Structure formats: structure tokens, C-alpha cells
Amino acid sequence: MFENLFDSQTIKDFIPHGTCLLWRSDLLLLHVLSDSLITAAYYSIPAALIFFVLKRRDLEFRSIFVLFGIFIMACGTTHLMEIWTIWHPNYVLEGFVKLFTGLVSIATSVLLWPLIPHALKLPSPAKLEETNRQLQHEIEERKGKEQEIRQLNANLEKMVEQRTAQLVEANAQLEDEILERLRIEESLRESESRYRTLFEQMPDALVLMDIESGKLIDFNPKAHQNLEYRRDEFRKLRISDIDRQQSEEDIRRHIEKTRDTGEDVFETEHITKSGIVRNIRVTTKVIQLNQKKLIQAVFTDITDYKQLELALRTQQQKLEQSQNRLEYIVNTSPSVIYILSRTGNPECPFKVDFMGETITLVTGYEPHQWYCDETFWIDHVHPDDRAAALENQSLLISQGELTHQYRFRHKDGSYRWIHDKLRSLRDSEGNMIEAIGAWVDITERKQGELALKEAKEAAEAANRAKTEFLANISHELRTPLNGILGFTQVLQKQTDLTSKHKEYLGYIGRSGHHLLTLINDLLDLSKIEAGRLEVENSIFHFVEFLDGIAEMFEFRAINKGVGFIYEKAATLPEYVIGDEKRLRQILINLLGNAIKFTHQGYAALKVFSHGETVYFRIEDTGQGIAEEDMGRIFLAFEQVADHDSTEGTGLGLAISKRLVDAMGGQIDVQSTRGQGSVFTVSLALPAASNPSKPKADENQVIGYTGKARRIMIVDDNPDNLTMLSALLESLDFVIETASNGRECLDKFALFEPDLIMIDLLMPDMDGAETVKHLRQTESGQNVKVIAVTAHAFDDIREHVPGIGLR
């Protein structure tokens, strides 16, 4: 086997580092054999040593034997590694094994030398033998002595028996004393343990000081934590290092006082490591700990308490101020402040607990008179108001608040009107505790309300008279004016008129329209002031509306020789919801003024929007308005004094302002005298979709097609009959007239009209009554009726249902 193991082929295959042994099989065998024998010896020797140590428990220096065994075994391992590395070149492992062997060798040598002196002290065998002989001699002598001792023991036993009895008795007493002492010691230990626990866990800072020198002996965690020090830092401090107010002498006096009296309490200020000042209450007392007297000092942080005390003192001062103010207010207020409490009596559920001093000024009675008699209040309430007052007061319990008015008998016998307001105060469970009330004498206000009511009724009567007057005067003014304008229109259609006649008719027409405008302005102002103006919103074509306004005033501006600028934002909605008629009236008034008072330069209409709000900006470079006149321009019948034109009534801006307000908008003006004016109107005009309604034909009517239509005209004014007949006959209508309602009813059946145009205000039988009778007949149920009236207000529609109003 060995020949095969160490032949050249084996060496070549398994010992790549065989060059160290010159690739010779005999050398390899020699080294493996020698290393194997050494390893076997080095492993067996430690085994014998360890076995010896285990058997000899009394052996000195056992650890060195074990260390020797480890050292020898490590040496054997190095030889074993020599065999291993022949085939496996793990030189790193071999190096670590040798390093371990070296370390164990060094440790063995280091530990061995200190043991040599101790080993040398061990006795030699000769000394052990000599010691044995001396010991044997001593044993012989001792046996002789033992015989003597036994004799003495016999004598002693008798004495011991006697002494034992005494000792048993004494021992019993001693055991009792020991038990008592043990109990006391256990109690002291428990007490000290409890004290230590309390000392460590106490929420306040606690220190123990020497009663003579005042030095710190011990302290709990709170003592250094509260002052932001570590324990080792705090131990080096003196009390004067942390006390901001007490000097060394002051601290010494406190220690002496504690020592003499047993305790002391004072307040001071401690400063923390970071510089924060804390208010401290110091409580000192003398204690006995471990048979030694010490001073125990407790530092209680009262900073929050001091701050709270300061806040409470401030609050108390404020409370006293508030109380003084309240007393002043209660005793000087025109309202009488009082407090009620429950009585439990259903007939008189409350009694007065407090009554303000001003009650004497209001009722003539002193406050004490209200406290003595629970029925004092109700007995002085007016008999007619008494039941309601009691019923209202009983509701206070359930409702929590009460306000009522009643008459109260003054001390002078007169009755005063009282406005009484109460509020209940309740506890946490919702039960009523008391009620606080306030009395106000409203007799003068009641008298004023009565006077105001009478004045209001008088004003309403005057307003009704004014309305009736306006309706009548409107009828009286419009009736002849309609005749003038109507006959002017009829004459203008004549073909045989000369140019001069047409010019005169133009003057008449323009004057008539100017008069009509004046009447309409007056009526519009009257409607606004009477509260009869109603905003009638509808969907209309906004862009087309603006274009029409601009076209109208562009023509006026050109005729006057001034420029006209029209700008509209591209973001304007095509259709909006608003009152088209009132918006047209506003813009016509403002643009009319702009052109009227501009003699050079331009007038402009600029329209833009933001959200649903549309802004109309009317500019001009005219005369402008002086600053002192700005406050009057929106007043009715006011005209700026230095304007060179007296045309108009001064109502245009007043009506425009009221119309804008009625529509929920705003009108602003900026003007500089001699440079022009800018009026800006902002109105909410929400965008709307196309209403898809047919556009009205605004061209002049010249006739109609189809069969001849029959119209009956009913009016008590012959001029109106003549004018309307002439207008309608020129359009090829067949006309029949009636001067009153009864004549209309008589002619209706014979004439069988397609349409009836009827005046509403007629004597004997008015238009509404006439139509009512017509609708009761079979032939009159479907005939169309148009009311032709000069009435001032549109609310006449309510009185003539089923009639078209013109």
C-alpha cells in the first residue's frame, strides 16, 4: 500500500508541492512516520494529564496541568498538519494552527513562572516524615491528657448541668430579646426601604443635608432633573449655586432655624442650568436616618401656582372692575335689570331676587317694595294685560326666552307701557335656576308709534289721492295729446299737402312727442315713488338691442357734428334675461345727455361683461360736471345751473338712477368740469338661449290683406272717435263708433265686429263693465277686445281681465 502511496505517479497527482521533499518516496515516508509518532505521543500525554487531574481533586495548580495538556495537544496538531499539507496545501490553516500553538505556549510559559515560588514552598518528603514523627509524639501526649480531661469532664458535667439550667433560662430570655431586636431591625429595614422608595419617587425635589455643615448628603432624581443637571454635576453644587435670592448667610440662618425648631418653610427662586428661573417653596425638617440626624429639604416648584396666583389676582381685579362696571350699568341704565327665581306657586311662579335701582325712576316704587310682596308686579299690571302677562311669564320655563309688552301702573296712578325681555338660566341638567330680565319704559315710543300709524294712514290716504289724481290727470292730458298726435299722423298721410304744411305738421308732431315724453317721465317718477314700478324680465336679443341703440344715437351725433364711438366686447352673450324696456330707457337718457352736452369731440357707448354682470360705459367730452354739483345730479327736477341748455325736465338722471336701483344694479359717475363725463352702469344680465320666437315686424303698417275687417270704437270723447276712425279707415277697416258702453251693447249685435277698441274710463258704464256684459252673450264670448286708455298705471290690467291693453 505504501509503495503505491509514494510512487512517482501518486506524488505527481496528489502532491503538487512535493518539490519540498525532492519528490522522493523514502523522504515522504520518513516524514509521515515521524510526524505520526509525534502526534500520537502528543495526544496521549494530555489524555494522561487530564485523567490525573480529574482523579486528584485535591491537587494544587490544576489549571496549569490543563493548560499543559492543551499546549501538548496543540503541538501534536501542528505535526498532524505537516502530514495533511503533503496532499492538501492548506498553508493558511496550518499557519493558524501554529499561531494557536504559539499563543498557548506563551500563555503556559507566562503562567508557569509565577507558580514556581508557590511550588517551591511545598514540603519535601524528608520534611513530611519529620513532621509525621512529631505528630505521633503529640498524639501520645494527647492521649494522656485526654484521660485527665475525661475526669475533669465528669466533674464539669455536673457543673454544666447546673449551668445549663441557668443558661436555658437566660437563653430563653435572650431569644425573646433577639426576636424583638429582629422584629425592630426588620421594621427599620422596611421603614428605610419605604423611605428610600418615597425618596426616589417623590414628585418634588428632595435633598438631605448635614445638620452641621449644610453639605449635600443625598438627593432624589427630581432634584437634579428639575434644574436640568446630571447627577454628577448636581453633586458638586452648593445650595447657593442654584438659589437666586438666598445668600450663604441666609442659607446658614435657615439651617440653624431648622436645627433649633425642627422645621422651616420659606419661598425663594432657583435658576436652572439653562437660565430659567423657577419659583420654589422650601420645606425643611430634622429627620433621624441611620442613627444620624439630617436636614431633609423639599423643593416644591410653585412657578405654575405663582403664575396662576398672578392670573387669578389679575382676573380678580378685572372681575372687580367688571362688577363695578356692571353695578354702574345696572344702576344707571335706562333699562331696569332684575333677577327672578322660581316660587313653586302656579298663580305666581316667580319672585324678585334683585331689582335695579333705576326701577324707582320708571315706576316710582323703591326696590325693597318688590322683594316684600310676590304679587306686587302682577297687581300693578293693567287689568286688561294681566292674563296675557301671566300666561307669557309661564312660557319662560319651557321656552327659555320671553319678550312681551304690557301696561304697568306708575306710583302716580298713570299707566306706562313696558317692554319686558327675560332669559332663563339653567343648570347642567337643564333645570331652570333663575331668570334675568330687562325693563324698558316704551311709553313715548308707543305714543310715537301711534302718531306714526296715524301719519302713515294719512300718507297712504294722500298717496291714494295722488295716485287717483295722476290717473285722472294722465287721462285728461293724454286724451287731447292722442288727438293731436293722431290727427297729425292722419294729415301727414295726405298727398295734397304743401311742403310748408308738412313742415308745420312735423313741428306739431315733435312738440307732441316731447310733451308725451315729459308726461311719461313724470308718470314713471310717480310710479317709482309710489312703489308701483315692476321689473319685467324677459329674454331678448342683447346684441341686436345694443346695435339698435347705437344706430339711433350715431345718427343724432352725426346731425350735431360730433363723433360717436360704439364698442362691444366679443364675449357679450347674444341673448340675456332682463327688462329690455327699462334698460332702453336708461341708455337713452344717458346717451341723450352725453350728446346734448357735447359740442365738440365725441360721445361713446362701450359695453363689456364679467361673469353675469354687464357694464355699460357712456363717455363724452362735453361740458362735464362741477365737483360741487355731483351730489345733485340724481335728484328729481335738478339741472346743473351753468348748462347752456334748458331742454328737458331734469328727470332723466333721477329716473335712470331709480331704475338701476330697482333692477339691482349700480350707476357710478366720474366727471371733470370742461373735460367731460363717464357714467358706468352695472347690471346683472344672465345669458340665455335663443327663445326661438318670431321677430316682430317693426315696419310701418299700411294695410292688411283678405276680407274687410270690422272694428267698433267705443269712447266718450268725440275727438278720439274721429281721430281713431280716420286712422283706421285709411287702412281700409270698416268702422263703427259708440259714445258709451250701452250704445256699444246696442250696436254690437247688428254690426258684428271682428274687434272692439274701447275706452276704460267712461261715465254711466265704463269699459270693464261693458266687456263683462259682452262676455255674457253668446256672440260676445269670442270677440277680441282692446282697451284704449290714457290711464297712468299699468295695474289697471287687474281690473279688466281678458282685454288687451293699448
Side-chain angles (χ1 to χ4, degrees):
M1 180 180 69
F2 287 102
E3 290 81 4
N4 294 333
L5 181 64
F6 297 105
D7 61 13
S8 298
Q9 185 62 37
T10 304
I11 293 171
K12 182 179 181 180
D13 292 340
F14 296 98
I15 311 177
H17 56 291
T19 54
C20 297
L21 298 177
L22 304 177
W23 301 98
R24 289 175 54 185
S25 301
D26 55 342
L27 287 177
L28 291 173
L29 180 61
L30 176 62
H31 278 276
V32 169
L33 182 61
S34 60
D35 285 330
S36 298
L37 292 174
I38 293 171
T39 300
Y42 278 1
Y43 277 5
S44 63
I45 292 171
L49 286 174
I50 292 172
F51 176 79
F52 176 72
V53 168
L54 291 175
K55 291 296 184 178
R56 286 292 303 271
R57 298 287 183 179
D58 60 338
L59 189 65
E60 295 288 339
F61 317 121
R62 299 178 67 199
S63 59
I64 196 65
F65 287 98
V66 174
L67 191 59
F68 263 117
I70 294 173
F71 161 66
I72 296 170
M73 186 175 290
C75 292
T77 304
T78 58
H79 286 279
L80 183 63
M81 286 303 302
E82 291 291 334
I83 300 172
W84 175 264
T85 54
I86 292 176
W87 288 277
H88 301 282
N90 292 340
Y91 293 111
V92 174
L93 179 62
E94 183 182 11
F96 276 113
V97 172
K98 288 181 178 181
L99 176 62
F100 175 74
T101 304
L103 292 174
V104 174
S105 302
I106 292 297
T108 304
S109 64
V110 169
L111 293 174
L112 183 61
W113 282 103
L115 294 177
I116 290 175
H118 297 286
L120 292 176
K121 292 180 180 180
L122 294 175
S124 63
K127 288 183 178 181
L128 288 174
E129 186 176 353
E130 179 64 24
T131 302
N132 249 346
R133 282 196 297 271
Q134 291 178 0
L135 184 60
Q136 187 66 32
H137 178 72
E138 290 177 358
I139 291 171
E140 292 296 331
E141 288 182 351
R142 186 167 183 174
K143 287 181 179 179
K145 295 292 182 183
E146 286 178 353
Q147 184 64 33
E148 294 177 2
I149 289 172
R150 280 194 292 270
Q151 183 61 40
L152 291 173
N153 277 342
N155 298 330
L156 185 60
E157 284 178 358
K158 293 180 180 180
M159 297 175 62
V160 168
E161 288 177 0
Q162 297 173 356
R163 186 63 177 168
T164 299
Q166 297 174 354
L167 289 176
V168 168
E169 183 178 358
N171 191 47
Q173 294 178 355
L174 183 61
E175 285 181 356
D176 292 339
E177 292 178 0
I178 291 172
L179 288 175
E180 182 63 24
R181 186 180 184 86
L182 289 174
R183 282 195 297 271
I184 293 172
E185 289 178 353
E186 182 64 25
S187 176
L188 286 174
R189 282 194 296 272
E190 290 179 0
S191 177
E192 289 179 1
S193 176
R194 285 195 298 269
Y195 176 80
R196 194 69 198 177
T197 301
L198 290 174
F199 183 82
E200 295 292 335
Q201 297 181 356
M202 190 171 181
D204 293 327
L206 191 148
V207 300
L208 298 178
M209 296 184 297
D210 186 83
I211 197 168
E212 298 297 333
S213 64
K215 292 183 179 179
L216 289 180
I217 303 298
D218 198 2
F219 48 87
N220 68 349
K222 283 291 182 180
H224 63 86
Q225 291 172 1
N226 287 356
L227 294 174
E228 303 174 358
Y229 288 98
R230 297 194 309 272
R231 185 175 183 86
D232 58 331
E233 293 175 330
F234 189 77
R235 185 179 296 279
K236 300 174 183 177
L237 298 176
R238 296 170 301 174
I239 297 298
S240 58
D241 294 333
I242 60 174
D243 200 310
R244 220 170 71 125
Q245 294 182 338
Q246 305 291 321
S247 64
E248 290 280 3
E249 184 62 27
D250 294 330
I251 295 171
R252 186 68 223 168
R253 281 198 298 270
H254 286 299
I255 292 175
E256 291 175 356
K257 181 180 179 182
T258 304
R259 184 184 59 197
D260 296 339
T261 64
E263 61 182 6
D264 189 15
V265 177
F266 60 94
E267 292 183 2
T268 185
E269 291 181 352
H270 284 179
I271 184 167
T272 67
K273 185 179 180 181
S274 61
I276 299 174
V277 177
R278 312 295 294 178
N279 297 100
I280 302 296
R281 178 186 291 114
V282 182
T283 305
T284 62
K285 64 184 299 185
V286 177
I287 64 169
Q288 186 86 13
L289 189 63
N290 296 330
Q291 307 300 320
K292 186 177 182 180
K293 285 187 177 181
L294 300 174
I295 292 179
Q296 173 185 281
V298 178
F299 301 147
T300 304
D301 191 332
I302 59 173
T303 305
D304 294 339
Y305 170 78
K306 283 289 185 181
Q307 293 174 350
L308 180 60
E309 187 180 58
L310 178 61
L312 287 175
R313 192 180 303 114
T314 304
Q315 193 66 27
Q316 182 66 26
Q317 292 173 353
K318 291 181 178 179
L319 185 61
E320 291 176 358
Q321 292 175 357
S322 299
Q323 186 173 355
N324 293 335
R325 293 193 192 104
L326 182 60
E327 289 179 358
Y328 177 79
I329 292 171
V330 168
N331 293 324
T332 61
S333 171
S335 300
V336 180
I337 308 301
Y338 62 95
I339 299 176
L340 302 179
S341 62
R342 298 282 300 276
T343 63
N345 183 1
E347 295 182 359
C348 187
F350 297 99
K351 67 175 182 178
V352 176
D353 283 347
F354 170 80
M355 180 62 70
E357 295 178 1
T358 51
I359 191 66
T360 306
L361 297 176
V362 177
T363 66
Y365 300 106
E366 297 294 333
H368 67 85
Q369 295 178 265
W370 297 78
Y371 304 141
C372 301
D373 187 359
E374 293 181 0
T375 63
F376 184 85
W377 168 72
I378 196 62
D379 290 343
H380 288 74
V381 173
H382 194 284
D384 295 342
D385 301 337
R386 196 168 295 168
L390 280 173
E391 183 179 356
N392 287 334
Q393 197 179 66
S394 64
L395 295 175
L396 179 63
I397 300 173
S398 59
Q399 294 180 354
E401 288 189 5
L402 170 66
T403 301
H404 61 149
Q405 297 176 0
Y406 49 84
R407 288 164 289 178
F408 190 88
R409 189 174 72 247
H410 194 275
K411 190 174 183 179
D412 61 11
S414 64
Y415 279 96
R416 311 289 293 176
W417 274 101
I418 301 299
H419 179 87
D420 196 359
K421 185 173 183 179
L422 300 97
R423 172 177 290 183
S424 63
L425 301 179
R426 301 179 182 275
D427 58 20
S428 58
E429 297 179 356
N431 299 317
M432 180 177 171
I433 303 173
E434 60 184 13
I436 299 178
W439 258 33
V440 180
D441 187 337
I442 59 170
T443 305
E444 294 181 0
R445 192 179 83 186
K446 278 289 186 179
Q447 293 171 349
E449 288 176 357
L450 180 60
L452 183 62
K453 181 179 179 182
E454 294 174 352
K456 181 180 178 183
E457 290 175 353
E460 289 175 351
N463 194 46
R464 286 193 297 271
K466 175 185 174 183
T467 300
E468 185 177 350
F469 169 77
L470 286 173
N472 292 331
I473 197 67
S474 168
H475 186 271
E476 295 302 321
L477 289 174
R478 288 178 189 243
T479 297
L481 186 57
N482 286 338
I484 293 171
L485 294 175
F487 281 116
T488 300
Q489 186 177 355
V490 171
L491 290 173
Q492 285 176 335
K493 291 182 179 182
Q494 301 298 318
T495 58
D496 56 350
L497 294 176
T498 65
S499 59
K500 200 67 173 177
H501 290 160
K502 289 182 179 179
E503 182 181 354
Y504 294 159
L505 289 173
Y507 290 148
I508 295 172
R510 285 192 296 274
S511 298
H513 282 293
H514 178 71
L515 183 58
L516 181 61
T517 301
L518 175 59
I519 293 171
N520 288 337
D521 285 347
L522 288 169
L523 293 176
D524 282 342
L525 185 62
S526 299
K527 290 178 186 178
I528 295 171
E529 291 179 345
R532 291 172 175 256
L533 179 70
E534 294 183 0
V535 177
E536 298 181 359
N537 290 329
S538 62
I539 300 175
F540 63 95
H541 198 295
F542 187 49
V543 176
E544 187 177 279
F545 165 82
L546 293 175
D547 292 343
I549 295 288
E551 183 180 354
M552 178 194 311
F553 284 96
E554 184 179 17
F555 179 74
R556 291 191 189 181
I558 292 172
N559 285 342
K560 190 172 181 180
V562 297
F564 184 77
I565 299 173
Y566 171 47
E567 295 178 1
K568 59 182 178 183
T571 56
L572 290 176
E574 186 176 3
Y575 289 89
V576 297
I577 300 174
D579 192 329
E580 181 181 6
K581 174 184 175 182
R582 300 304 179 188
L583 180 57
R584 177 180 285 106
Q585 189 174 354
I586 294 167
L587 294 179
I588 287 175
N589 282 337
L590 295 177
L591 284 168
N593 284 345
I595 293 176
K596 183 196 307 183
F597 298 115
T598 300
H599 303 295
Q600 59 181 4
Y602 69 90
L605 171 62
K606 299 178 181 180
V607 187
F608 56 94
S609 64
H610 181 72
E612 291 188 349
T613 303
V614 179
Y615 298 87
F616 302 88
R617 185 180 176 92
I618 295 89
E619 303 176 1
D620 67 69
T621 57
Q623 300 174 13
I625 305 168
E627 185 176 354
E628 60 270 16
D629 295 328
M630 293 291 285
R632 299 187 296 115
I633 61 174
F634 291 118
L635 299 178
F637 305 105
E638 286 285 346
Q639 289 182 309
V640 179
D642 56 356
H643 278 172
D644 57 2
S645 173
T646 58
E647 180 184 352
T649 61
L651 294 176
L653 288 179
I655 292 174
S656 298
K657 177 69 168 63
R658 287 163 172 76
L659 289 176
V660 170
D661 291 343
M663 297 169 72
Q666 184 174 342
I667 182 168
D668 299 306
V669 59
Q670 296 175 344
S671 184
T672 303
R673 186 72 181 122
Q675 297 182 15
S677 304
V678 178
F679 286 82
T680 303
V681 176
S682 57
L683 291 172
L685 298 173
S689 57
N690 190 340
S692 301
K693 292 183 178 180
K695 184 177 178 181
D697 186 3
E698 297 179 353
N699 296 326
Q700 184 178 2
V701 179
I702 59 174
Y704 63 93
T705 60
K707 68 176 184 176
R709 298 293 182 176
R710 305 164 71 84
I711 299 177
M712 177 180 286
I713 303 172
V714 185
D715 198 319
D716 63 328
N717 189 308
D719 293 337
N720 285 346
L721 285 176
T722 304
M723 183 269 295
L724 287 174
S725 296
L727 281 174
L728 295 173
E729 284 175 349
S730 67
L731 299 175
D732 296 331
F733 286 103
V734 179
I735 303 301
E736 179 63 68
T737 63
S739 59
N740 56 61
R742 296 193 182 277
E743 186 178 354
C744 171
L745 295 175
D746 294 339
K747 291 183 177 182
F748 176 75
L750 296 175
F751 184 65
E752 295 181 353
D754 299 304
L755 174 68
I756 297 176
M757 300 179 68
I758 187 169
D759 185 15
L760 294 177
L761 300 179
M762 294 184 297
D764 190 18
M765 181 182 289
D766 61 17
E769 186 68 20
T770 303
V771 174
K772 181 179 179 181
H773 283 85
L774 279 174
R775 296 306 187 198
Q776 292 176 354
T777 64
E778 183 177 354
S779 58
Q781 290 181 357
N782 298 320
V783 67
K784 293 180 175 58
V785 180
I786 295 177
V788 181
T789 181
H791 198 280
F793 299 108
D794 291 342
D795 58 3
I796 195 171
R797 296 175 186 269
E798 301 174 3
H799 304 290
V800 285
I803 303 178
L805 186 62
R806 292 293 182 270

